[in-house]
mmCIF file of all heavy atoms in Angstrom:
data_model
loop_
_atom_site.group_PDB
_atom_site.id
_atom_site.type_symbol
_atom_site.label_atom_id
_atom_site.label_comp_id
_atom_site.label_asym_id
_atom_site.label_seq_id
_atom_site.Cartn_x
_atom_site.Cartn_y
_atom_site.Cartn_z
ATOM 1 N N TYR A 147 52.167 97.968 81.936
ATOM 2 C CA TYR A 147 51.628 96.818 81.397
ATOM 3 C C TYR A 147 50.397 97.154 80.269
ATOM 4 O O TYR A 147 50.394 96.455 79.331
ATOM 5 C CB TYR A 147 50.936 95.970 82.448
ATOM 6 C CG TYR A 147 52.010 95.195 83.327
ATOM 7 C CD1 TYR A 147 52.301 95.691 84.585
ATOM 8 C CD2 TYR A 147 52.689 94.194 82.805
ATOM 9 C CE1 TYR A 147 53.178 95.019 85.328
ATOM 10 C CE2 TYR A 147 53.586 93.541 83.492
ATOM 11 C CZ TYR A 147 53.980 93.925 84.774
ATOM 12 O OH TYR A 147 54.908 93.274 85.503
ATOM 13 N N ALA A 220 52.850 86.654 79.372
ATOM 14 C CA ALA A 220 53.803 87.156 80.573
ATOM 15 C C ALA A 220 53.241 88.465 80.967
ATOM 16 O O ALA A 220 53.317 88.732 82.258
ATOM 17 C CB ALA A 220 55.132 87.283 80.056
ATOM 18 N N LEU A 221 52.832 89.441 80.109
ATOM 19 C CA LEU A 221 52.468 90.721 80.519
ATOM 20 C C LEU A 221 51.133 90.611 81.304
ATOM 21 O O LEU A 221 50.970 91.372 82.428
ATOM 22 C CB LEU A 221 52.272 91.569 79.355
ATOM 23 C CG LEU A 221 53.490 92.128 78.613
ATOM 24 C CD1 LEU A 221 53.203 92.761 77.232
ATOM 25 C CD2 LEU A 221 54.291 93.019 79.530
ATOM 26 N N PHE A 222 50.149 89.832 80.925
ATOM 27 C CA PHE A 222 48.911 89.633 81.718
ATOM 28 C C PHE A 222 49.223 89.010 83.069
ATOM 29 O O PHE A 222 48.660 89.324 84.083
ATOM 30 C CB PHE A 222 48.036 88.750 80.957
ATOM 31 C CG PHE A 222 46.971 89.496 80.108
ATOM 32 C CD1 PHE A 222 47.250 89.451 78.676
ATOM 33 C CD2 PHE A 222 46.121 90.376 80.598
ATOM 34 C CE1 PHE A 222 46.295 90.236 77.892
ATOM 35 C CE2 PHE A 222 45.159 91.088 79.814
ATOM 36 C CZ PHE A 222 45.295 90.981 78.370
ATOM 37 N N GLY A 223 50.172 88.033 83.133
ATOM 38 C CA GLY A 223 50.594 87.389 84.287
ATOM 39 C C GLY A 223 51.185 88.423 85.330
ATOM 40 O O GLY A 223 50.924 88.503 86.510
ATOM 41 N N GLY A 224 51.982 89.309 84.775
ATOM 42 C CA GLY A 224 52.595 90.355 85.596
ATOM 43 C C GLY A 224 51.601 91.363 86.072
ATOM 44 O O GLY A 224 51.647 91.785 87.264
ATOM 45 N N LYS A 225 50.621 91.714 85.131
ATOM 46 C CA LYS A 225 49.558 92.730 85.538
ATOM 47 C C LYS A 225 48.667 92.179 86.560
ATOM 48 O O LYS A 225 48.247 92.955 87.520
ATOM 49 C CB LYS A 225 48.896 93.166 84.233
ATOM 50 C CG LYS A 225 47.689 94.080 84.555
ATOM 51 C CD LYS A 225 47.026 94.398 83.164
ATOM 52 C CE LYS A 225 45.709 95.220 83.351
ATOM 53 N NZ LYS A 225 45.930 96.517 84.061
ATOM 54 N N LEU A 226 48.171 90.954 86.358
ATOM 55 C CA LEU A 226 47.144 90.441 87.307
ATOM 56 C C LEU A 226 47.677 89.797 88.649
ATOM 57 O O LEU A 226 47.022 89.929 89.653
ATOM 58 C CB LEU A 226 46.375 89.293 86.511
ATOM 59 C CG LEU A 226 45.620 89.763 85.273
ATOM 60 C CD1 LEU A 226 44.916 88.562 84.514
ATOM 61 C CD2 LEU A 226 44.505 90.820 85.631
ATOM 62 N N TRP A 227 48.850 89.199 88.532
ATOM 63 C CA TRP A 227 49.348 88.514 89.691
ATOM 64 C C TRP A 227 50.655 89.033 90.177
ATOM 65 O O TRP A 227 51.290 88.454 91.203
ATOM 66 C CB TRP A 227 49.499 86.999 89.392
ATOM 67 C CG TRP A 227 48.208 86.325 88.869
ATOM 68 C CD1 TRP A 227 46.949 86.378 89.513
ATOM 69 C CD2 TRP A 227 48.023 85.734 87.641
ATOM 70 N NE1 TRP A 227 45.997 85.796 88.837
ATOM 71 C CE2 TRP A 227 46.629 85.259 87.634
ATOM 72 C CE3 TRP A 227 48.827 85.340 86.561
ATOM 73 C CZ2 TRP A 227 46.114 84.596 86.506
ATOM 74 C CZ3 TRP A 227 48.302 84.662 85.519
ATOM 75 C CH2 TRP A 227 46.945 84.264 85.562
ATOM 76 N N GLY A 228 51.199 90.046 89.565
ATOM 77 C CA GLY A 228 52.424 90.590 90.009
ATOM 78 C C GLY A 228 53.608 89.659 89.692
ATOM 79 O O GLY A 228 54.724 89.876 90.322
ATOM 80 N N ALA A 229 53.497 88.758 88.799
ATOM 81 C CA ALA A 229 54.599 87.767 88.499
ATOM 82 C C ALA A 229 55.462 88.373 87.377
ATOM 83 O O ALA A 229 55.421 87.947 86.243
ATOM 84 C CB ALA A 229 54.006 86.463 88.058
#
Side-chain angles (χ1 to χ4, degrees):
Y147 288 107
L221 289 170
F222 269 111
K225 175 181 171 64
L226 298 176
W227 305 305

